[in-house]
Amino acid sequence: MTPQNPLSAFSVTRKWPATQPDRIQLYSLPTPNGVKVSIALEEMGLPYEAHRVGFESNDQLSPEFVDTFPNNKIPAILDPQGPGGKPLALFESGAILVYLAEKTGSPLLPADPAARYETLQWLMFQMGGVGPMFGQLGFFHKFAGKDFEDKRPRDRYVNESVRLLGVLERRLTGRAWVMGEQFTIADIALWPWVRNMVVEQGYNAAELLGWERFPELQRVLAAFVARPAVQKGLVTPPRN
């Protein structure tokens, strides 16, 4: 590791050299998981350098990526100024959201202990429920699984996805965001997945899910995608 580039000891920088090594390095793609971190970085105003991890070329399976991020998934970050001033490599989008909010002292993670844990509760709701269930529905509705003649697997995930949307619909009644008036990392985690379910360029499952039955979700999703930081984060790094 050299004083000029504290990131040079990390294998990932051999494949994606850091031209601005003083900035947080983001390794990602505009997927529902990937955009969580680019949106958070934009919302917090943190300087960063984005690197595209191409699935079509299996970049996420490259030795350089896996050596630094063992789970070979995006998004991931490399922060030259981690705890104690030492570089920190981090994967798992939920962990990254918490880390960035704590690093900056951002109100995206409330300081009040009760509100903080409630925010984390909804973050885990996305990580453990919304993401896995919506992703499986996408597989069986849009990708390879759509050709299966037996529709029971698809319907299982449709039913669970509808249930999860119902949980959110009830939560959002009378609220601007998941936690009320305050926009938080829970919103950053949840809304890219909700959006991906219903837009044509995503899973295009609005009709399958009965999207018209969720007016609160429609309202909040519109407010989410109208945020300038969200608009930038949704296309960072570029898909192509």
Side-chain angles (χ1 to χ4, degrees), residues 25-158:
Q25 305 295 302
L26 169 66
Y27 308 91
S28 193
L29 200 64
T31 67
N33 267 335
V35 299
K36 295 180 202 172
V37 175
S38 52
I39 290 171
L41 289 164
E42 291 290 335
E43 288 280 356
M44 297 178 200
L46 285 168
Y48 68 100
E49 181 177 356
H51 304 278
R52 181 182 183 276
V53 180
F55 289 172
E56 76 284 350
S57 53
N58 287 323
D59 284 349
Q60 75 278 15
L61 301 178
S62 65
E64 296 89 348
F65 191 86
V66 174
D67 183 61
T68 306
F69 308 111
N71 198 34
N72 61 270
K73 301 287 185 182
I74 60 103
I77 64 167
L78 188 51
D79 184 359
Q81 292 296 321
K86 297 180 181 179
L88 175 68
L90 204 59
F91 66 90
E92 283 297 331
S93 58
I96 296 171
L97 292 179
V98 173
Y99 169 72
L100 293 175
E102 291 186 340
K103 174 185 174 74
T104 59
S106 170
L108 289 169
L109 182 58
D112 173 75
R116 170 188 165 86
Y117 284 112
E118 195 174 355
T119 302
L120 293 175
Q121 165 189 264
W122 287 101
L123 174 63
M124 301 307 165
F125 172 78
Q126 186 280 306
M127 299 295 294
V130 166
M133 296 300 104
F134 286 16
Q136 291 293 341
L137 186 148
F139 174 79
F140 285 105
H141 176 62
K142 182 171 182 178
F143 300 113
K146 72 180 186 300
D147 297 324
F148 293 3
E149 292 185 10
D150 186 348
K151 296 306 178 186
R152 285 176 295 179
R154 185 204 67 176
D155 292 345
R156 169 183 171 86
Y157 294 113
V158 169

